[in-house]
């Protein structure tokens, strides 16, 4: 190889090395620029945090919206509850009004003691047969003495009392069925008491008063006992003297 060829080859290699160096430097500058861009921007970790912050901010907005909803939510729930309560109250009021309306429409209420008069039926066949044993009856008449129509039905309470009130007999009830009866002012109904009258001088009970409590009432009406003595069955399981329902 000639000396001139050797020089050209050396120059070419040097040129290639310089070009390679230039390319390396350029690459380094490019990487530095990219790195510089990252440096002037947000670090990957910070970027992640920013995304997290952004998501958190987004969630915050969403939460804020939800917060608004949440703030409105309890109110809405409260309003909903209030509406529910109002609706329930309206229903109750409606049902109450309906019930009252029905009562008002019919104009009929329960008969109260204060609006009733009681008396023994004493005419004709109403007088109990003293020789009939436990098969005879007496009737007590209840009259509506008020100015309004009322309903009555069921078993009255009947207590027999001795003269001094020391001996009391709460009469048992029969098993008869009953229904309500409407009484206009001045109208009457009655109920019967099965009696076991006796003429024996032993084992008898002499009532002086009959205390009558109308159904569903706590106030009583007191009547004088007009009949004779009864077989004393105050402690009997199935006494022959007992009360029947009204009507």
């Amino acid at each position: 190889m000639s000396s001139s060829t050797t020089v050209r080859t050396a120059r070419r290699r040097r040129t290639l090395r310089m070009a390679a160096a230039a390319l390396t430097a350029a690459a380094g500058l490019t990487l530095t620029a990219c790195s510089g861009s990252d440096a002037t921007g947000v670090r990957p970790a910070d970027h992640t945090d920013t995304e997290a912050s952004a998501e958190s901010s987004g969630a915050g907005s969403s939460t804020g919206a939800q917060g608004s909803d949440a703030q409105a939510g309890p109110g809405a729930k409260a309003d909903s509850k209030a509406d529910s309560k109002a609706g329930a109250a309206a229903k109750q009021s409606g049902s109450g009004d309906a019930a009252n309306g029905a009562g008002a429409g019919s104009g009929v209420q329960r008969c109260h003691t204060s609006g009733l008069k009681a008396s023994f039926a004493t005419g004709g066949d109403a007088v109990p047969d003293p020789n009939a044993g436990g098969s005879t009856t007496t009737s007590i008449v209840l009259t509506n003495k008020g100015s309004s129509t009322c309903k009555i039905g069921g078993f009255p309470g009947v207590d027999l009392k001795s003269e001094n009130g020391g001996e009391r007999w709460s009469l048992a009830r029969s098993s008869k069925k009953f229904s309500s009866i409407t009484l206009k002012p001045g109208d009457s109904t009655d109920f019967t008491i099965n009696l076991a009258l006796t003429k024996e001088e032993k084992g008898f009970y002499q009532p002086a008063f009959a205390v009558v409590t109308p159904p569903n009432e706590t106030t009583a009406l007191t009547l004088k006992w007009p009949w004779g003595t009864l077989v004393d069955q105050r402690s009997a399981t199935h006494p022959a003297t007992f009360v029947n329902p009204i009507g």
Side-chain angles (χ1 to χ4, degrees), residues 9 15 17 20 22 35 48 75 89 92 101 138 144 146 149 154 165 170 217 222 234:
T9 301
T15 300
R17 284 197 300 270
S35 177
T48 304
Q92 290 177 354
T138 183
N144 180 3
T149 300
S170 295
E217 292 291 298
T222 301
R234 284 176 289 176

Side-chain angles (χ1 to χ4, degrees), residues 78-170:
D79 292 339
S80 178
K81 289 180 181 178
D83 292 342
S84 298
K85 289 181 180 178
K91 288 181 181 179
Q92 290 177 354
S93 176
S95 60
D97 291 342
N100 291 335
S106 61
V108 178
Q109 296 182 355
R110 186 180 79 242
C111 295
H112 299 289
T113 303
S114 59
L116 295 171
K117 179 178 68 174
S119 61
F120 276 99
T122 57
D125 295 338
V127 177
D129 182 358
N131 299 315
S135 61
T136 190
T137 62
T138 183
S139 296
I140 293 181
V141 179
L142 297 174
T143 303
N144 180 3
K145 67 176 184 178
S147 58
S148 300
T149 300
C150 64
K151 281 187 177 182
I152 191 169
F155 286 89
V158 178
D159 289 348
L160 302 180
K161 294 199 311 181
S162 60
E163 185 65 40
N164 59 10
E167 296 182 3
R168 195 180 187 98
W169 184 357
S170 295

